[in-house]
Amino acid sequence: MSYQWDFGLVWHYAPLLGTGIEYTLGLTVVTSVIGMVIGTCLALCQQSRMWFISVPLGMVSEVFRCTPSLVQLIWCYYALPIVLGITLSPMSAALLALSIYGGVFYGEIFRAGLRSIDPGQWDGARALGMTSWTMMRRVILPQVLRRMVGPMVSQTVLQLKNTSLVSVVTVPDLVYQGQMVASATYRPLEVYTTIAILYFLILFPLTQLSRLLERRWA
Amino acid sequence: MSQQPPMIQITNLSKAYGKNTVLHDISLDVPQGGSVALIGPSGSGKSTLLRCINLLEEPSAGSIRVDSQVMEFGPRSQRPGGARLAGFRAETGMVFQSFNLFPNMTVIENVMAGPLYVKHVPRDAARAQALELLDRVGMAHKADVSPSNLSGGQKQRVAIARALAMQPKVMLFDEATSALDPQLVGEVLGVMRDLAAAGMTMVVVTHEMAFARDVADTVVFMSGGYVVEKGPAHDVIENPQEDRTKEFLRHFHVGRN
Ligand SMILES: Nc1ncnc2c1ncn2[C@@H]1O[C@H](COP(=O)(O)OP(=O)(O)OP(=O)(O)O)[C@@H](O)[C@H]1O
Ligand SMILES: [Mg+2]
C-alpha cells in the first residue's frame, strides 16, 4: 500500500498553475484595495451622526459579517443578476463579493482603530482650530494607521485565502487551475500538495510580516 | 473714561444633554486682561461651561462672543459649520487636565502644529516661535524629545506653549494641575501666574483655592449648573456670602502664600 508520488507530471503543467497564481494574487490585490476603500468609507460614515447613513450601512455590514463568504459569492453570481436584471461575469461577481466582504472587515479594523484613540486627542486638535480633515490627517490617522497595519495585513491574508472560493464560479484561480490539472493528470494528491505548498509560500512571509509590524508598532 | 467691551461675553447660555440641563442661563463677562477662576463641586458644570466658551461643546441656547466673533445658539439660530467653528476655536487656547499632547509628534512639533496646519505659517517662522515659547515655559531643552518622555508638569507646560502658539485672545484652563503629582503643581501654576501677569485673558477651572484667590481677579462659584456667587477673588474665597459657597469652601484649607 505504498503510493508512488510523481510530481513530474505536475511540473509539466506548471504554466497552468502559474496562471492560477496570477489570478489569485490579482484578485487579492484588487479586492483588498477596493475593500480598504469601502472599509474607510464605512468607518467614516458610521462615525457620522446622521442615522439615516449609519444605520443602513451598519445593517449591510452585519449581513456580510454574519453569512459565509462562499454563500455571498454564489448569491452574487446566481441571484444578484436576476434581482437586478443584469448579467455578471464570474470575474465581476467574484470581485464584487470579495471586495464588499473585505470592506466590511477592513472597516471594522479601521473603526476599532479610531475608537482606540483617546478622546482627548480630538479635543486637543479641535481646540487648536483644526478642521475635521486637518485633524484626521495630522493627528488621528498617523496614530490609527500604525495600530492598523498589523490587523490589515492579517485581514489581507484572509482575503487571499478567500479568493480560493472563486473556483466555484469558474474563475481560474490557483484552486480552479489545480482542479484542471488534477483531472488531466489523475494525480490529485500531487496537485493539491503542490497547491498547498504554493499558498504556504505566499502566505507565510505575509503572516510573519504582520507579526513583525504588530510587535514593532502596537 | 472709555469703557472697553469685555473680551469674553457669555449671554444667557444654557446647555442640556437630552433632558438633563447642566448649565442654566449663565451670563458672564470677562474683561480684556481679566482672569476668572471657576470653582465648584464635581458635576457643577465647570468643564461644560469652559468647553462651551470655545465650542468644544455646542451650547443649547444663548450666545458667546470672544473678541469680535459672536456665535448664537438656540432653536432659531443656524448651527455653525465646521470651518466657522474651527475659526472660532483658533482664537481661544485651551489646556486640559490630561494634557492631550499629540504622541505622533515631538515636543516642538506639538507646539508648531497649530501655526503650521491651521494658520499655514512658514515652517521656519513656526519653529522660531515654538522655540521662543518653549523657552518661556522652561522647556526649550526638551524640544526634540517625544512627549511620552516628559513628566506631567513638563507635559502641561508644553501644552500651554502649544496653545499659546496660536496667539489666542483668551486662554482656558480645565483643572490644568489636577493630574499632577503635588511637587509638580507649582511649576505649572507658575507659568499660569506669569501669563495672567502678562495680561492674558484667562478662565481657569481649578481646585487650587489659594491660586484662585491670589491670581484670579474674579471668582465664580458654580453649583448644579447655576452661577451661585461671583465677585472679587479675595472676597469670595475669604468671605463668601452664599451658604452653598461657604459649605463648599469649608472643605478646603486655603493656606497663605
Ligand atoms: N457628554 C456628556 N453627556 C451627558 N452628560 C454630561 C456630558 N458631559 C458632562 N455631563 C454632565 O454634565 C454635568 C456637569 O459636568 P462637568 O464635567 O461640566 O462638571 P465639572 O464641574 O467639570 O465637574 P468636575 O469637577 O468633576 O470636573 C454632570 O452632571 C455630567 O454628568
Ligand atoms: Mg470638570
Side-chain angles (χ1 to χ4, degrees):
Chain A
M1 268 267 303
S2 77
Y3 183 78
Q4 284 302 117
W5 291 86
D6 179 6
F7 283 93
L9 262 178
V10 179
W11 182 244
H12 188 68
Y13 285 91
L16 274 187
L17 295 184
T19 308
I21 290 179
E22 281 166 24
Y23 270 87
T24 293
L25 290 180
L27 269 170
T28 306
V29 170
V30 173
T31 61
S32 296
V33 170
I34 301 177
M36 284 177 201
V37 173
I38 294 175
T40 307
C41 294
L42 276 177
L44 293 180
C45 289
Q46 286 186 301
Q47 285 258 111
S48 107
R49 275 185 283 176
M50 286 172 284
W51 63 269
F52 53 89
I53 296 181
S54 55
V55 170
L57 284 178
M59 278 160 56
V60 172
S61 303
E62 287 309 318
V63 168
F64 272 83
R65 278 149 62 83
C66 301
T67 51
S69 41
L70 179 58
V71 173
Q72 293 161 16
L73 177 65
I74 294 173
W75 194 87
C76 278
Y77 186 54
Y78 292 104
L80 188 63
I82 294 170
V83 173
L84 296 181
I86 53 169
T87 48
L88 269 185
S89 68
M91 192 60 175
S92 320
L95 284 175
L96 186 69
L98 291 180
S99 297
I100 300 179
Y101 179 83
V104 166
F105 285 91
Y106 286 119
E108 202 48 46
I109 292 170
F110 196 18
R111 223 146 65 95
L114 287 177
R115 259 202 312 266
S116 76
I117 300 291
D118 169 17
Q121 292 292 307
W122 266 274
D123 282 348
R126 283 204 192 97
L128 285 178
M130 291 190 191
T131 56
S132 309
W133 166 243
T134 308
M135 172 170 66
M136 271 292 168
R137 166 146 178 242
R138 303 293 183 178
V139 176
I140 305 299
L141 285 184
Q143 296 180 55
V144 173
L145 290 178
R146 317 185 100 219
R147 296 180 201 192
M148 269 172 38
V149 172
M152 291 289 245
V153 176
S154 305
Q155 182 59 39
T156 305
V157 167
L158 285 178
Q159 196 71 5
L160 191 145
K161 290 191 207 168
N162 268 332
T163 61
S164 64
L165 301 172
V166 302
S167 56
V168 299
V169 295
T170 71
V171 173
D173 77 318
L174 188 50
V175 168
Y176 185 85
Q177 296 295 82
Q179 289 166 349
M180 294 294 112
V181 177
S183 57
T185 57
Y186 299 107
R187 285 281 174 187
L189 260 62
E190 285 84 346
V191 172
Y192 289 118
T193 304
T194 307
I195 284 172
I197 291 172
L198 288 173
Y199 273 113
F200 182 83
L201 289 179
I202 299 171
L203 287 176
F204 184 68
L206 260 182
T207 57
Q208 292 309 101
L209 177 70
S210 123
R211 206 163 289 165
L212 188 80
L213 291 174
E214 249 162 47
R215 204 174 314 138
R216 170 148 338 153
W217 279 350
Chain B
M1 209 175 101
S2 76
Q3 190 69 31
Q4 258 194 339
M7 179 60 95
I8 303 174
Q9 189 169 29
I10 303 167
T11 314
N12 302 122
L13 180 96
S14 300
K15 171 70 183 173
Y17 293 105
K19 285 196 159 52
N20 180 22
T21 303
V22 300
L23 293 177
H24 300 266
D25 197 31
I26 290 185
S27 295
L28 180 69
D29 290 355
V30 185
Q32 154 98 56
S35 53
V36 170
L38 284 180
I39 62 171
S42 183
S44 57
K46 307 179 298 293
S47 297
T48 307
L49 176 57
L50 201 68
R51 292 167 63 87
C52 280
I53 298 178
N54 72 350
L55 306 183
L56 280 183
E57 298 291 340
E58 185 182 336
S60 311
S63 77
I64 293 178
R65 188 173 59 73
V66 172
D67 197 29
S68 56
Q69 294 200 70
V70 190
M71 292 281 193
E72 304 267 353
F73 297 90
R76 279 182 295 157
S77 314
Q78 205 183 349
R79 293 174 62 175
R84 264 207 86 200
L85 282 177
F88 192 90
R89 292 182 188 131
E91 302 213 321
T92 62
M94 185 153 188
V95 175
F96 304 87
Q97 180 175 350
S98 52
F99 324 125
N100 300 346
L101 293 177
F102 307 134
N104 55 315
M105 304 178 192
T106 63
V107 163
I108 195 161
E109 284 168 351
N110 265 275
V111 182
M112 292 161 66
L116 274 187
Y117 306 138
V118 177
K119 285 185 170 172
H120 307 289
V121 168
R123 188 165 272 276
D124 292 346
R127 193 174 168 84
Q129 188 212 16
L131 271 173
E132 213 168 281
L133 285 168
L134 284 174
D135 192 43
R136 184 165 163 196
V137 299
M139 290 298 298
H141 62 299
K142 296 284 188 186
D144 294 311
V145 309
S146 159
S148 59
N149 297 331
L150 303 180
S151 73
Q154 293 176 323
K155 283 182 189 165
Q156 199 58 299
R157 286 186 282 151
V158 172
I160 294 173
R162 178 178 72 176
L164 289 175
M166 288 299 287
Q167 298 169 325
K169 304 257 167 64
V170 309
M171 283 285 281
L172 311 173
F173 293 86
D174 193 359
E175 300 196 27
T177 58
S178 295
L180 302 180
D181 293 337
Q183 74 273 17
L184 301 179
V185 167
E187 61 189 61
V188 173
L189 291 184
V191 170
M192 292 166 66
R193 195 185 302 265
D194 293 346
L195 262 182
M200 176 61 79
T201 308
M202 306 187 359
V203 181
V204 181
V205 173
T206 185
H207 289 302
E208 304 279 339
M209 294 306 142
F211 181 81
R213 181 193 61 199
D214 301 333
V215 178
D217 42 47
T218 304
V219 165
V220 174
F221 172 73
M222 292 181 68
S223 178
Y226 292 93
V227 170
V228 174
E229 182 165 356
K230 96 182 132 185
H234 195 272
D235 296 1
V236 175
I237 303 283
E238 296 296 337
N239 187 21
Q241 299 302 307
E242 299 287 332
D243 288 344
R244 273 185 287 176
T245 321
K246 288 178 192 164
E247 169 63 22
F248 174 73
L249 285 170
R250 232 196 310 280
H251 298 299
F252 291 89
H253 180 77
V254 188
R256 310 261 149 212
N257 54 348

